[in-house]
Amino acid sequence: MLGVEHLTVENREAGCVTDEHHPRISFAVTSDLAETSLQEARVRIADWETTTTNQVALAYAGAGLQAFTQYPVDVEIRDNYGRTASTHTTFETGRLDTPWQAQWISDGSYRFTEKKVSPRPMVFYRVVRPTAGKTIARARLYATAMGLYDFTINGERVSEYYFAPGFTSYKTNLQYQTYDVTDYLRQSNEARLEATVTGGWAVGSFVFTRKNRVSAQRQALLAELRIDYSDGSTDIIGTDSSWQVTIDSPVRSADLYDGEVYDARVQLDAASWRAASIEKLRIHPQIRADYSARVCEHEVFEPQFVKRSDNGELIYDFGQNFAGIVRFSVRDAREGQVITVKHAEILNPDGSLNTTFLRTAKAQIVYTCAAGEQSYAPCFTYMGFRYISVSGIDVDAFDVQGIALYSEMEEIGSFACSNNALNQLHSNIMWGSKSNLVDIPTDCPQRDERMGWTGDIAVFAPTACFNFDMSRFLDKWLRDVKAEQTRGGGIPNTVPVQGYGFPATMPQMAIDWWGDACVLVPWVLYQSRGDKEILRSMYVTMKKYVKACLFWASLWGRGDKRYIWNTPSVLHFGDWVAPDVPQMSQWQARSPWTATASLNNTARTLARVAEVLGNDEDAAQYHALANRVAQAYINVFTDGQGKLINEFQTAYVLPLYLGMFPENQRLAAVSNFARLVESNDYKIGTGFPGTPYILFALADNGRPDVAYSMLLNDACPSWLYEVKQGATTIWERWDGLDENGECPIGDDGTDIMISYNHYASGAVGAFLYSRVAGLEATSAAYKTFRVQPIVGGGLTWVKASTRTPYGVVSSSWTLDSNGTFVLTVDVPVSTRAEVVLPDGSVHEVSNGTHTFTSTFTANSNMEVRA
Ligand code: BGC
């Protein structure tokens, strides 16, 4: 049968509300017949119809879309066998460019002046009565805030999402959300619209310096309810001074780092309400319909054990480190009874909660009970934790669950193999991702950071894109990257900036690998999802950035040295968290190597982007720049015969992975590198810039044996050491816990920067998919791809898949004791795969499931990749 599935509008299968004038449509084709090809697809949206064979990011090109309108999308396809299939979805336009009739409101009498804390939560309400005698056709609530808001109608939450309006670079970009509230309004002739607004990122304390009031003096709310009646009339009720406000909320305080203080005795009816005041904002962002992958609830964890620690607190273990909240219920509470829940990633040796590494983040819930039975879950905060301590209640009267909160991205990848430690590593990578893809790509979910560190996602994006459909998530974040670029071309270290973002001393500075996110992330997203628009929209940003990098590099030298990026290393992160040197200053001191390689990489990547966009002149120019930088690296840092003058792992990894060695030095370089790795007993010695690529640098240059020895090593530092120590996520520091389960890291200049949930070194996930399983896109969106597993490490079977825009691609192989290798691959319609077997044979296949048999010998994998 022929099928058409996974029809999306702006990368959402259902429920898309958009302010895009040219929304993008994608769909996949399925077939049970070999050699199926799509002859034509008719795509219809209202009066617009087009005939195409493009299945990915097809932009609507019809007449101007109307605001507040539901549009049907129909797709009919025909294949080369004459078969047909069709599917349908809808999307809705948001406000498009309709001006708001609502006004920003706040509590003008609330003077919030304290430093380093979050403001008192505000509650706003108004009672709305739909026009009597009319039939409601539909009703929508459009809302946004300075701060985080949560709306209820007659006491019921209007959505299951968290942290609206989302974290963006507020001075430029602000999202509003659209809620279908038709049923609420039909159900009663009186609706109480109520919103709690807390400080969140815009007003609350954020970043490790705990800055507050970065975007606004105090919280503010903007909301508009539009009730459409079946007679064609519309009521519009916007926020204005007819709304009431109080700061006497049961949510006594809410802070992203510190948690929530909630008093269930507080009755809003008895609060002191006053008329809301019209608020003048000091920023003027563009307010667009939500284009993010919104944060919502995912896995629910039951406690695996409860113990009482020596200090009398109850300690619960959820068995998994994650980002989220607890939901608890309490029986037989006394009015005024106070329950305190604290969160942490690890326990102390005596079994109590270890909160040392949270730094200033209190990460706690203080809940004052009303009498009797009740339940509670915070709405305006989240924590990174596996354990909680609970005081103020008996174990029998308390039920608790852990709820993972992260962005709504479809999980598209899977990986499993015959080695359980590697499977646990994959699970840790998944949890590292889930815990740090919380509206923006964060570094960690637990301490006083949770910021959009650019370097972390720059290296992790390829792995994230194997595991999740990152389209909406990264598209949103990249709009802020673009918005935050400085005039000089530098990209802040954290995006959105919100209190901290630049190297403190030089805001215009370009920072290698961290700033590189503006080039690397769009490129990776394009490769995995195939939407050129992301490259087009980031192109100018990328060019300005590479220009800035070249400017800073060339300030410090002439000749070859013009391309050696030698900025004072305190301004760079260098080989960040490299475990072979103990001090932060030593990681930074490696920046001439990491920065120079970064310039080669961004210039080369930009050249490829230029090729895709058809800018041949630019492409030639950036290729030439990349070549000059490579040449300089080799001339300055090596003996010209493949040996580094100053040897360390990252300094070999980068030029080997990036193809910077001349062909005649490459093998010598890899054998020097392999010697270095062997002499370090296959333990890892790389920081952020080297870790993602180290196994590729070995395996693709003829040493998969060394790559596997490193991957499977479980001595510290290594990926599997963390697994051996019982990690359920990826750690920030390779030596986060010693063999006794204690943290051995002393004063290394980082202010106890020790997180047990950082995804950066989980970037090895891309190697599991693309080399161990062998799945690699050779053109955007896997229109063409290669399946070339690297057999080794004693693995007897491997299975991996990822769902591309065209459908699922998969590789699954087995190896028996006689050396018989059997590989099965799935190839979606409209794509082609090149299958390379261990015996060197190459096979071209189109859609369907294909099985190949080959023999594997010890030398099978040793060839060098182009
Ligand atoms: C963060 C990192 C980040 C780094 C850069 C840390 O505090 O947690 O992941 O990239 O700072 O210096």
Side-chain angles (χ1 to χ4, degrees), residues 587-664:
W587 309 333
Q588 292 176 300
R590 290 176 173 176
S591 67
W593 290 263
T594 60
T596 305
S598 132
L599 181 55
N600 166 274
N601 190 28
T602 50
R604 183 80 68 209
T605 307
L606 183 48
R608 293 186 181 127
V609 173
E611 281 162 13
V612 172
L613 297 180
N615 295 334
D616 298 342
E617 245 175 67
D618 282 6
Q621 188 197 322
Y622 291 117
H623 275 305
L625 172 60
N627 292 342
R628 282 195 295 273
V629 177
Q631 186 73 59
Y633 189 102
I634 302 305
N635 291 350
V636 173
F637 293 136
T638 77
D639 65 356
Q641 292 169 44
K643 186 167 181 304
L644 277 148
I645 296 162
N646 183 349
E647 291 190 305
F648 59 96
Q649 289 187 9
T650 297
Y652 274 115
V653 169
L654 293 173
L656 275 168
Y657 173 73
L658 298 171
M660 291 163 74
F661 279 106
E663 213 35 54
N664 61 359

Side-chain angles (χ1 to χ4, degrees), residues 208 359 442-444 447 449 453-456 493-494 500 514 573 576 688 732 750 753 755 758 760:
F208 39 72
R359 302 201 300 219
T442 63
D443 53 337
C444 55
R447 66 172 177 240
E449 293 210 44
W453 281 99
T454 46
D456 303 44
N493 292 331
T494 63
Y500 169 84
W514 271 250
F573 300 117
W576 192 252
F688 275 25
E732 178 175 28
T750 65
M753 192 193 73
S755 131
H758 245 67

Side-chain angles (χ1 to χ4, degrees), residues 500-563:
Y500 169 84
F502 298 100
T505 40
M506 298 180 89
Q508 300 297 330
M509 184 79 158
I511 305 292
D512 66 295
W513 292 98
W514 271 250
D516 298 5
C518 76
V519 178
L520 306 186
V521 175
W523 179 242
V524 170
L525 186 57
Y526 167 69
Q527 284 179 311
S528 85
R529 307 312 298 174
D531 184 357
K532 269 190 204 170
E533 194 44 46
I534 198 74
L535 301 182
R536 267 189 223 108
S537 71
M538 293 300 292
Y539 193 57
V540 173
T541 309
M542 296 181 188
K543 285 180 64 165
K544 264 175 78 176
Y545 175 70
V546 172
K547 190 173 169 192
C549 295
L550 179 60
F551 169 80
W552 289 102
S554 59
L555 266 190
W556 275 274
R558 287 165 183 277
D560 273 338
K561 293 257 172 81
R562 197 167 121 73
Y563 301 103

